[in-house]
Amino acid sequence: MQMSKMFFQTLREDPADAEVISHKLLTRAGYIRKLTGGIYTYMPLMWRVLKKIEIIVREEMDNSGAQELLMPILQTEELWQESGRWDVYGKELMRLKDRHGRQLALGPTHEEIITALVRDEIRSYRQLPVNLYQIQNKFRDEIRPRFGLLRGREFIMKDAYSFDIDEEGLDKSYEIMAKAYTNIFKRCGLETKMVRSDSGAIGGNVSHEFMVLTQTDSGENDVLYCDTCEYAANSNHAESRMPDARINGKYEKSHKIETPNTKTIEQLCKFLNIPPSIICKTLVYIADSKPILALIRGDKEVEETKLKNAIGANEIRIATSEEIAELMSKSGFSAEAGFIGPKGIKADKIIADKSVVSLKNFVIGINETDYHLVGANWSQDVDLPEICEDIRLSVAGEICPNCHGKLLITKGIEVGNIFKLGTKYSEKMKATFTDENGREIPFIMGCYGIGVSRTAAAAVERYHDEFGIKLPKEIGPFHVIVVPVNTNDELQFNTAKEIYEELRSQNFEVVIDDRNERAGVKFKDADLIGFPIRITVGKTVNEGLVEFKLRDSGEMLKLTKKEAISKVKNILQD
RNA sequence: CGGGAUGUGGCGCAGCUUGGUAGCGCACCUCGCUUGGGACGAGGGGGUCGCACGUUCGAAUCGUGUCAUCCCGACCA
C-alpha cells in the first residue's frame, strides 16, 4: 500500500465531541468517521482491524465446533411477540414499518430468529448439540450512545447460540465457549477477566462477562475482584461478606424515642450518637408500578439490579415522595420518608437484605415522624420479612465470598458475555425436539456474544501512548511502514521501494510513505496510526544502513537493508 | 426523561454583549524554497453562520419554536 493512495486523513486536534481516548485517537488517526450519534463509518484502516479480529473469532469459534451462518437483520414482530419480548425489550429495539404497515425491527440480538429456525430444522436429539454463530451489525437504540465505539447504536457483534439436550450438555457448551472466548481475547492481545454478572434483558440463570480491566474511567462497569482467589463479579451481581455489626450495648430494651429532624441516616447517627451499622434502613421502591419495601443495614446501599432479580420485577425505581405519602395513608400512617419502618405497612412485598438478619438491639423507623424505635429485635418488636435475599451493593474492602481475601474494585470494558438461557426461549416459542424416549422436550439453550467493534476500541484503550495508537501486530491494520525521509533523494527512495517490494512479495502487510512530506509529518502519522515496525531510509543509506524502530518499545537499530528485512521476518513470524 | 452546554468551510475555534463587508489556525490547490519529529514565503479555492418563523431598512448577532450534538444524572448488552 502506498501512503499517498490510502483513503485516510489524520487530524492534528482531537475532535470536540470525543471524550474517551479510543474515540479521540481512532478519529484523529483516520480509522473512523462519525455519521451521527453512536453510528460510525469504519474507514479502511479500521476495517482491516475489524477483519483481523473477525478472523480470530472465526478460527476459535470454528475450532470449538460452532458453525457460522448469517441471519437477517430485519426481524418480524411476530417472533418477538412469541418470546414476549416485543413489549418487554422497550425503546432500545429499533422498530420500523414496511409499506404494508407490518411491524419490523432491526436486530439487537437474535434469540428469536435462531430459536424459530432451529425449531423447524432440528427434530431429533440425534442432531444435537449444535452451536450456530454469525458476525453482523446489530442495532440498539441506546438512551445515550457515548464513548465512541464503546457504546454505539449500530455495532458489530459476534453472536452464537447453543442448543443442547439437557443441562449437562449446556454446561459443556458453556464451558467450551468460555474457553474459546479466553483464547479469542488473548489472541487480540487483551487480558480479560471472566466475571459473574446479571443476565439483564437476555435472561437466563447464569451469565458471565468478559471484562478488559482498565485503570482509566473509560470502562463503564465496576468490577469487584478478590486479591487472593479467582473471584470476580460485576458490581451488579457481586457478593461479599462483611463483619457483623458491632452489637451496641447502648439500647438493651426496646422503646420509642423522640428523634426530631433525623430524616437521613447521617442525622440519626449524629443525634443518637450511634454507628449507622446498627440501624435498619427502610426504603420504598416502585417495582412494576407497585410499592415495595426494602430493608438494609444503615451503612449499606441497595444494588437495584439485585433487588429487581430478587423480587422478579422488570422495572424498578426509588419511590417519589408523593408515592411514599400515598403508601403511608393507605397503611394508616402519616410519617415522612426517614421515619418509615416495615411494621404495619401495606406494601406489595417486603424484602430484607441479609445484612439486617443478624441485627440485635437495632434502631428502626416506626412510621411516626420524629420518632424511632431503639433496642429493637426481630420477632419481639418487628417481624423479619419472609423474603430475605442479598440485595446489597458490595464495595471494595469487603471480604470475598469464596475465601478470606479482600475485594478490590476496578473499571472494566465488557467485550463479551455468555449466558445459560435454559428453556427461556425454547419453551415460550415451542421449540422442541424428540428425545431418545420419544418425548417432545424444549431445547436447552445458551447464547454467547462478543462486541467485535467494541473489542477493537477496548484494544485502543489498552494500547496507546501520547503519540497515538499502538495496537499489537495481531490486530493492527498493518505490520510495517517504510519511510523514505526525502522522496526526492533517489537512493533513499529507491532503497525504500526495494524494501517495500521485498516485504510485500513475502506477504507482509507493509506501507510505503511515498508522500512528498517532511520527515516530521511522516513520523507523526506513523506513530498516530501505529505501525508496529518502522523502517526509515534516510541519510545513513549512503553507508548502507537504514533505521529499524519498534513502535511499542521505541527500541531503535541501525541495520543493513538485508538485516532489516530478516528482522521483520523474525519479529512477525515468531 | 430531568439538569447543563454547544451548533459559524473537512477539523479546531473567534465574532454575538452593543444588528451593518463572515474571520483565524490546521487541512486543501498553485508556485518557490525546504527535507530526520506536525517548516517557510507568495498566491488561491471553499461557508445560504443547524433549520423554521418572527422583529428590523438590514440578523451569524435579538426573540420564539424546532432539530442535532456533547457532558452530568436516571436507565441500560
Side-chain angles (χ1 to χ4, degrees):
Chain A
M1 186 79 217
Q2 294 163 266
M3 203 72 153
S4 61
K5 302 271 169 65
M6 199 188 288
F7 182 64
F8 85 109
Q9 186 186 26
T10 55
L11 306 176
R12 294 198 178 185
E13 285 162 296
D14 287 335
D17 57 4
E19 183 71 9
V20 297
I21 195 75
S22 62
H23 189 193
K24 286 179 184 169
L25 286 177
L26 288 169
T27 303
R28 276 192 59 205
Y31 281 60
I32 59 171
R33 288 292 179 258
K34 183 165 86 172
L35 176 65
T36 183
I39 301 178
Y40 295 85
T41 294
Y42 307 121
M43 302 286 275
L45 283 169
M46 190 64 183
W47 189 234
R48 292 182 73 95
V49 174
L50 293 170
K51 281 193 290 189
K52 287 187 183 181
I53 296 174
E54 288 184 5
I55 286 169
I56 293 171
V57 168
R58 285 198 171 90
E59 284 179 6
E60 295 295 332
M61 290 301 293
D62 292 347
N63 275 341
S64 75
Q67 299 175 59
E68 186 173 6
L69 46 53
L70 186 60
M71 291 180 273
I73 289 174
L74 275 174
Q75 312 190 353
T76 56
E77 180 188 351
E78 290 84 64
L79 288 179
W80 283 72
Q81 292 287 10
E82 275 190 50
S83 72
R85 287 208 295 181
W86 183 259
D87 300 317
V88 176
Y89 208 89
K91 290 185 184 148
E92 219 175 282
L93 184 62
M94 295 247 198
R95 295 160 213 246
L96 63 150
K97 281 182 186 162
D98 70 11
R99 65 200 302 164
H100 306 295
R102 191 178 178 212
Q103 282 277 8
L104 299 168
L106 296 177
T109 174
H110 277 65
E111 283 82 9
E112 282 79 4
I113 311 297
I114 196 84
T115 305
L117 183 71
V118 168
R119 114 184 124 185
D120 290 343
E121 300 298 323
I122 293 188
R123 304 297 340 139
S124 158
Y125 75 97
R126 293 172 193 275
Q127 295 164 284
L128 295 172
V130 66
N131 187 328
L132 302 164
Y133 78 97
Q134 61 174 351
I135 299 175
Q136 182 191 60
N137 284 31
K138 292 285 191 280
F139 298 82
R140 291 185 193 178
D141 201 356
E142 297 285 349
I143 295 176
R144 189 177 156 201
R146 57 180 148 176
F147 302 145
L149 259 35
L150 289 174
R151 178 170 293 273
R153 292 194 292 169
E154 174 173 352
F155 57 96
I156 301 174
M157 178 168 156
K158 188 283 307 178
D159 47 323
Y161 306 88
S162 69
F163 295 81
D164 277 282
I165 296 169
D166 51 24
E167 290 290 338
E168 202 178 309
L170 172 59
D171 290 348
K172 217 171 278 170
S173 297
Y174 194 80
E175 204 170 298
I176 289 169
M177 281 296 106
K179 205 165 283 171
Y181 273 35
T182 305
N183 290 343
I184 286 167
F185 295 122
K186 194 177 283 172
R187 284 182 62 186
C188 291
L190 295 172
E191 274 301 321
T192 51
K193 229 177 171 54
M194 181 169 148
V195 309
R196 278 297 300 261
S197 70
D198 177 61
S199 23
I202 307 287
N205 311 319
V206 177
S207 73
H208 287 87
E209 294 168 336
F210 285 78
M211 294 277 189
V212 175
L213 301 186
T214 55
Q215 295 314 318
T216 61
D217 277 347
S218 48
E220 284 197 90
N221 301 280
D222 289 322
V223 176
L224 287 157
Y225 63 99
C226 178
D227 66 357
T228 308
C229 75
E230 285 300 298
Y231 182 79
N234 190 315
S235 65
N236 68 18
H237 195 280
E239 294 171 15
S240 60
R241 287 179 290 163
M242 50 182 194
D244 279 346
R246 206 172 303 142
I247 305 302
N248 190 309
K250 190 165 177 181
Y251 303 114
E252 299 276 310
K253 253 198 192 150
S254 72
H255 59 285
K256 194 166 108 178
I257 189 167
E258 188 171 10
T259 55
N261 303 315
T262 55
K263 294 191 75 167
T264 65
I265 295 288
E266 203 183 331
Q267 289 164 345
L268 185 59
C269 289
K270 214 168 162 194
F271 183 84
L272 294 176
N273 192 26
I274 53 166
S277 56
I278 64 160
I279 298 172
C280 178
K281 181 160 69 173
T282 307
L283 299 160
V284 184
Y285 280 88
I286 303 295
D288 296 337
S289 47
K290 286 183 197 141
I292 63 157
L293 292 189
L295 309 185
I296 190 162
R297 218 171 81 180
D299 57 333
K300 299 295 169 185
E301 301 297 324
V302 167
E303 161 53 47
E304 293 189 5
T305 304
K306 284 186 181 178
L307 174 59
K308 198 160 82 177
N309 291 339
I311 60 170
N314 281 322
E315 225 178 273
I316 198 156
R317 59 176 173 80
I318 198 100
T320 63
S321 42
E322 292 82 38
E323 287 164 334
I324 292 175
E326 196 186 321
L327 176 66
M328 282 292 144
S329 71
K330 198 173 79 180
S331 310
F333 299 115
S334 62
E336 298 169 32
F339 304 96
I340 302 171
K343 199 170 181 179
I345 295 283
K346 296 200 168 81
D348 192 57
K349 276 176 188 161
I350 300 179
I351 180 165
D353 179 64
K354 287 180 175 166
S355 63
V356 303
V357 176
S358 59
L359 285 178
K360 294 215 166 60
N361 298 335
F362 54 91
V363 178
I364 192 164
I366 45 171
N367 304 310
E368 238 181 283
T369 298
D370 291 344
Y371 288 93
H372 280 88
L373 186 69
V374 301
N377 284 292
W378 297 120
S379 306
Q380 294 162 34
D381 305 293
V382 189
D383 288 333
L384 187 64
E386 277 178 24
I387 315 173
C388 186
E389 298 270 352
D390 174 30
I391 56 168
R392 177 173 57 88
L393 175 70
S394 296
V395 296
E398 292 176 346
I399 310 299
C400 173
N402 293 348
C403 72
H404 291 288
K406 201 183 249 185
L407 291 183
L408 302 173
I409 193 162
T410 185
K411 291 278 181 183
I413 301 171
E414 179 193 346
V415 288
N417 52 27
I418 56 180
F419 297 90
K420 286 186 187 175
L421 294 174
T423 58
K424 172 172 169 160
Y425 293 89
S426 51
E427 233 166 59
K428 277 197 175 135
M429 298 182 68
K430 302 191 172 60
T432 58
F433 64 97
T434 310
D435 74 2
E436 52 189 334
N437 301 316
R439 286 181 314 188
E440 286 280 308
I441 58 171
F443 295 103
I444 311 296
M445 292 173 58
C447 77
Y448 316 90
I450 289 179
V452 173
S453 42
R454 181 183 276 186
T455 299
V460 174
E461 291 287 336
R462 166 72 182 74
Y463 294 104
H464 69 269
D465 61 15
E466 55 182 318
F467 303 109
I469 295 169
K470 38 181 200 180
L471 289 174
K473 60 183 194 292
E474 287 75 15
I475 60 171
F478 289 96
H479 296 141
V480 185
I481 184 164
V482 183
V483 182
V485 169
N486 184 349
T487 43
N488 296 320
D489 182 308
E490 263 186 45
L491 182 59
Q492 288 183 24
F493 193 52
N494 288 336
T495 306
K497 252 175 144 168
E498 285 161 24
I499 296 171
Y500 166 68
E501 291 297 347
E502 176 63 25
L503 289 172
R504 208 161 69 112
S505 72
Q506 295 184 39
N507 291 324
F508 290 109
E509 298 175 55
V510 54
V511 171
I512 182 168
D513 196 344
D514 57 338
R515 297 176 301 171
N516 188 18
E517 290 284 356
R518 294 166 64 86
V521 173
K522 298 186 191 181
F523 293 157
K524 289 285 184 192
D525 279 345
D527 288 347
L528 183 58
I529 294 168
F531 298 87
I533 298 170
R534 187 180 88 198
I535 297 175
T536 308
V537 185
K539 281 180 187 142
T540 54
V541 74
N542 295 315
E543 304 147 36
L545 295 174
V546 299
E547 180 186 301
F548 188 96
K549 193 170 183 187
L550 296 178
R551 173 71 177 87
D552 187 29
S553 63
E555 184 190 344
M556 198 265 276
L557 300 166
K558 295 274 188 191
L559 302 173
T560 64
K561 191 176 100 181
K562 231 180 173 169
E563 288 167 341
I565 289 168
S566 68
K567 181 107 178 142
V568 168
K569 284 187 218 169
N570 287 342
I571 289 177
L572 294 179
Q573 293 176 344
D574 65 352

